[in-house]
Every structure is written in C-alpha cells, then in structure tokens.
Amino acid sequence: MNVIQVPKAMYLAAFPQMAVSLARCVLPTVLIAVVALFGMGDMSSRADTAETRRLMHQLQKTRLDNLIRHQPELAALLSGVGSGALNADVTDDRGVLHFSSGVDAPLWARASGRWDDNGKRKVKYGFGAMGLHTYVTPTLVVGGMIEADYLSQAGAQSDRAGGGVMAGSYFLARHANQPLFVEGRLLRGRASHSIRGSGDGALWPDTRRGLAQLKLTGQLRYGVTTLTPSFLASYATDDVLPRGSDPLGVQGIQQRQMQLGLEFRHTLREANGAPIILTGGGAFSRTSTRRFGHDALALPGQRSGSGRVSLGIRFSTQAGGSIAIDSFWGGLGTYAPENYGLKAGYDIRF
C-alpha cells in the first residue's frame, strides 16, 4: 500500500486558505440562523403587542357605544309621565333585564342587563345608574349621579372584560309653556379591564373615562300642528393609564356622536268633518371614532352617517274605515346605496 506524504511546509501553507473557505461557508449560515431566531422572536412579540392593542381598542369602542346608548332618560323627572317598572325575559342561553324606579321622588335608579351564549361566544353586559336632584325652580332641576357598567366578551380566540364607575352632575329644564325638555350631564370616572388573546399572557389595563352629553326631547304644539324636535350630542373619551413597561403604552379613543331630527303632525278636516292627518319629518345622524397613541394608523378612525326623510297621510272614510299611506327615503349622505319605499294600509272595524 502506497502512502502519499504531504510535506509539512505545504500543509501549513494550505491551512489558512482552508480556514478562510470554511469561514465563508459556515459563518453566513450561522449568522442567518441567529438573526432568524432572534428576529422571529421579536416579530412574534410585536405581533402579540399589536393584537393586544387591537383587542383593547375593540373593547374600548364597544364599551363607549353601550355607555352612550344606555344613558338614563331624565325628561320623565319633570314631565311626571312614567312609573316604576321591572321587566325580565330569560331563557336557557340568553336574557334581558330592565328596572326603573318611580319619577315622583328626588332619588331615582335605573338598571339594565343582558347576556347571550350561542355556544361559541358569551357576552354579558350590565349598566346601572342612580341620581339625586333638587328643584331650583318648578321647571329646572340639578343633581348628581353615579353610574357603573360591566362588559364581558368570551370567545375561542380571546377573552375581554371591563368594568368601571363614573360620577358627575346633570341638569334638566322644561319649557315654561310647552312639553319640551333639555337635559345635560358631565361625568368622569375610571375603569379596569382584562384582556387575554390567543397567547398565554394577559393584561389588566386601567383607563380614565369621560362623557359629556346634551339632549333635547319633547313637543311643540301650535293648534292643529305638533312639532317633535330631537337633538343629541355626545362626546366620550377612554384613555389607557400607562404603568411602567405596559405594552399598550399611550392609547386612547375619542367618540363624537350627533343626532338631529324633526317630525310634524298636521290635522286637516274635510267638508264632512272627517280628519285628514299629514305626518312626516327628517332625521340625520353622524358618528366619528378617533384612536390615538401607538399603532394609531393601523386602526384608523371611523366615520358614519345617515339621513332619512318621510311623508305620510291618514284619513277616515264615511264607511268607518281608515287609510294610511307612508313613504320614506333613507340612506341620504352615506356611501351605502339609498333606499326608499311606499306603504299603504286600510283598516275597518265592524
């Protein structure tokens, strides 16, 4: 067996070249693996943080929507129309509950709740308010109120819940000669939340909330004509309170809502004395939601609005029947297709 011997000098001369070649082949692979390992971890962290912020934004918006929608009506405190009531509709997987105290006492309370479980998603919501006022004049009351609300949304991918308390002042005024009411409130408070996404971690952020609202309801009566104006303007905020290294950081949401409407009812008379009643009106609403803080561009603001007009006529026949014709035109001022319709009905009793 022949053995080829390589001179030691030649071996030492070739070793640096072999080392350089090995480094050129192995080091890039190692660097790519290290960068991919740490880079994927950082990307996963950023993805988890973005998902948490998205879930928090959705929870904040849902709670503000419900907070504005469930604000107690105050006009009954001066109109005297209304009484205490308790209504409940409960089944195996859902339920609705409403409670209201009487309107003839300075201390009043309102409460409502609902829950729904369709097997894939569980939603629970509760709202309660209590107030105490004093009569400055027979047509003006001022007072203070406290509100509490709770929302829980549990699904396969995430669990979200939040509860909070708000307190502030309110006023209610009535027109001296007409059943027309103006009410306003200014509330401030805090809330606590729990957010658990698809990962194992959970966050418990706290927020600072505020609500300002002005509302007009009632009627203006001028002989055979009755006007029913309505106006609602709301401004609500919900800001996350940062705590140390909280990944949510500075994050908040602002929501503005405006509703404006006017309906009329005008009574005419035929020659035989049968009345003809003209009805109609219009309404316009607009809502804008703005998010600020981290990743604000990832969840841009939302705007929506709609308008609707209607016109109808009702009159009675000599045979004892009544005819009603109503028409409407909706979807005005929105990107959605407009819609319109006409409805006619005849009623006779014998």
Side-chain angles (χ1 to χ4, degrees):
M1 181 177 181
N2 297 327
V3 179
I4 301 176
Q5 296 183 354
V6 179
K8 184 177 181 180
M10 184 180 297
Y11 174 79
L12 293 176
F15 180 77
Q17 298 180 357
M18 294 174 59
V20 172
S21 299
L22 182 62
R24 290 178 177 177
C25 295
V26 176
L27 286 180
T29 304
V30 174
L31 290 175
I32 293 175
V34 172
V35 171
L37 179 61
F38 287 93
M40 291 178 61
D42 183 60
M43 291 175 60
S44 177
S45 176
R46 290 197 300 268
D48 292 342
T49 301
E51 176 66 12
T52 301
R53 290 172 180 165
R54 185 184 67 84
L55 294 175
M56 182 62 186
H57 170 72
Q58 292 178 348
L59 180 61
Q60 287 178 289
K61 186 177 185 305
T62 303
R63 290 196 62 196
L64 285 186
D65 291 339
N66 282 279
L67 182 67
I68 295 175
R69 187 181 308 116
H70 287 83
Q71 286 300 303
E73 300 282 347
L74 300 180
L77 300 179
L78 278 180
S79 67
V81 178
S83 60
L86 175 61
N87 301 317
D89 183 6
V90 181
T91 62
D92 294 338
D93 54 358
R94 64 185 58 190
V96 178
L97 177 68
H98 295 285
F99 166 78
S100 62
S101 63
V103 298
D104 54 352
L107 180 64
W108 56 267
R110 304 284 189 275
S112 61
R114 60 179 175 84
W115 57 94
D116 187 3
D117 183 1
N118 60 8
K120 296 182 180 179
R121 183 180 178 85
K122 298 180 181 179
V123 178
K124 299 178 182 178
Y125 182 76
F127 175 87
M130 179 178 294
L132 178 65
H133 60 263
T134 182
Y135 290 84
V136 179
T137 66
T139 59
L140 173 64
V141 299
V142 295
M145 71 169 67
I146 183 172
E147 299 180 353
D149 70 318
Y150 174 80
L151 174 65
S152 173
Q153 299 173 322
Q157 301 296 327
S158 63
D159 294 335
R160 292 169 289 181
V165 177
M166 302 183 71
S169 59
Y170 67 90
F171 77 90
L172 173 65
R174 172 176 174 162
H175 191 279
N177 302 317
Q178 300 280 2
L180 186 68
F181 304 90
V182 179
E183 63 183 70
R185 69 201 71 192
L186 181 62
L187 306 172
R188 299 283 294 178
R190 293 197 176 191
S192 298
H193 305 80
S194 173
I195 303 176
R196 185 183 300 274
S198 57
D200 296 331
L203 291 178
W204 293 270
D206 295 333
T207 60
R208 178 178 54 242
R209 298 190 297 168
L211 172 65
Q213 191 176 82
L214 184 64
K215 189 174 184 179
L216 172 70
T217 57
Q219 294 181 340
L220 295 172
R221 298 169 182 170
Y222 302 99
V224 296
T225 302
T226 300
L227 301 179
T228 306
S230 62
F231 174 77
L232 174 64
S234 299
Y235 175 74
T237 63
D238 193 59
D239 305 334
V240 174
L241 299 175
R243 295 180 298 182
S245 59
D246 191 343
L248 290 176
V250 179
Q251 176 174 323
I253 182 174
Q254 297 176 349
Q255 181 167 308
R256 295 177 175 88
Q257 184 179 109
M258 185 187 70
Q259 299 176 3
L260 180 64
L262 178 63
E263 298 181 357
F264 72 89
R265 179 185 177 93
H266 183 69
T267 303
L268 302 175
R269 291 188 180 275
E270 290 182 326
N272 59 2
I276 297 179
I277 301 175
L278 299 177
T279 62
F284 175 78
S285 65
R286 183 176 181 85
T287 302
S288 64
T289 303
R290 174 179 174 266
R291 178 176 180 265
F292 58 90
H294 294 292
D295 299 334
L297 296 178
L299 295 170
Q302 301 175 353
R303 293 183 179 179
S304 62
S306 64
R308 178 186 175 97
V309 294
S310 62
L311 182 63
I313 183 173
R314 290 169 173 78
F315 60 92
S316 301
T317 64
Q318 295 182 353
S322 60
I323 298 176
I325 302 175
D326 295 300
S327 62
F328 71 91
W329 186 10
L332 303 177
T334 65
Y335 296 103
E338 297 180 356
N339 56 84
Y340 49 87
L342 179 66
K343 180 176 68 175
Y346 177 74
D347 180 44
I348 186 172
R349 298 182 180 183
F350 53 88

